[in-house]
Amino acid sequence: MARARRFSYRQLIASTLVGAFMAWLLCLGAIVYWSRGSAAGPADAIVVLGAAQYGGRPSPVLRARLDHALELWRADRAPWMVLTGGRRPGDLISEAAAGRRYLVRRGVPNQTIMLEPAGRTSLASMQGASALLLALRDSLTSAPPPKGKPARAPLADRPRVLLVSDPFHMLRLDLLARLHGLQPMPSPTRTSPISANRAVLEYMVRESIALPTDLALMLWLKLTGRQIVDG
């Protein structure tokens, strides 16, 4: 009896490990699949995920994301931009603020840019971006336009957002956006140094761990009624 019990425990452990490995492979495959897509059509806003900046100068990765967002804005894909990204230890300004400086110098009106300068993770950044856009939606719906000025087009009940980041990031951002009341429209940055680097597979493997971790954290936050405090 004891031998049969030990054997059944071993079977259970082996089955669990195999199941976990298969789930991880499916997650990795989904990340690769989502990295290849790019949405067409108009949106309510462009949401740019932060990356490193050095003394106010965007890193090559952040610059590639900002340049892609600039192309989308010039093509009239969306009237608003949300720039995310907090401050790392030693930074004088946030990644979001460095992004705004970069875009304003290239002709994007300051009043069309919103900053989420506190989040230092994708989950916190998407939470903050969603709060900004839902507040903007409510203000445009309830407030009359200033006298002599045309009314701003209202945002959708679930604002449509063009998500700008590296391709491997798209699936996690898609899910986080949905869970925060947004309609995601992936628009990956193909010119990022990461995309041209052979280490992109390493980033995808990291994503395959970060994605279920963020989803588990989101579930816990929903159950406890809490929010990420990051910054």
Side-chain angles (χ1 to χ4, degrees), residues 32-196:
V32 174
Y33 177 80
W34 249 262
S35 72
R36 296 175 177 174
S38 187
D44 294 304
I46 302 163
V47 177
V48 184
L49 272 291
Q53 58 85 28
Y54 309 111
R57 296 169 62 90
S59 65
V61 171
L62 180 55
R63 189 166 63 246
R65 295 178 186 181
L66 294 169
D67 286 340
H68 181 56
L70 182 60
E71 289 179 7
L72 295 172
W73 183 81
R74 286 175 173 168
D76 293 326
R77 296 286 302 279
W80 300 95
M81 280 201 196
V82 180
L83 307 181
T84 73
R87 291 195 301 175
R88 308 288 172 174
D91 285 348
L92 297 178
I93 67 172
S94 66
E95 295 165 2
R100 175 172 61 184
R101 180 185 299 178
Y102 183 89
L103 290 172
V104 167
R105 287 174 176 172
R106 285 155 179 79
V108 180
N110 188 53
Q111 62 268 26
T112 66
I113 299 174
M114 293 176 284
L115 299 188
E116 196 298 297
R120 295 198 296 265
T121 64
S122 298
L123 178 51
S125 293
M126 194 57 65
Q127 175 182 283
S130 173
L132 287 171
L133 288 168
L134 295 179
L136 176 65
R137 176 202 64 191
D138 294 342
S139 68
L140 292 176
T141 301
S142 61
K147 189 174 181 180
K149 293 188 177 181
R152 288 275 193 178
L155 274 65
D157 288 341
R158 291 173 60 90
R160 300 176 298 272
V161 291
L162 286 160
L163 298 173
V164 175
S165 187
D166 284 89
F168 66 84
H169 210 180
M170 286 295 109
L171 177 57
R172 180 154 56 118
L173 293 181
D174 186 295
L175 294 173
L176 292 178
R178 291 179 191 278
L179 290 171
H180 282 100
L182 304 174
Q183 296 182 58
M185 300 173 64
S187 189
T189 304
R190 306 292 181 190
T191 57
S192 170
I194 295 175
S195 299

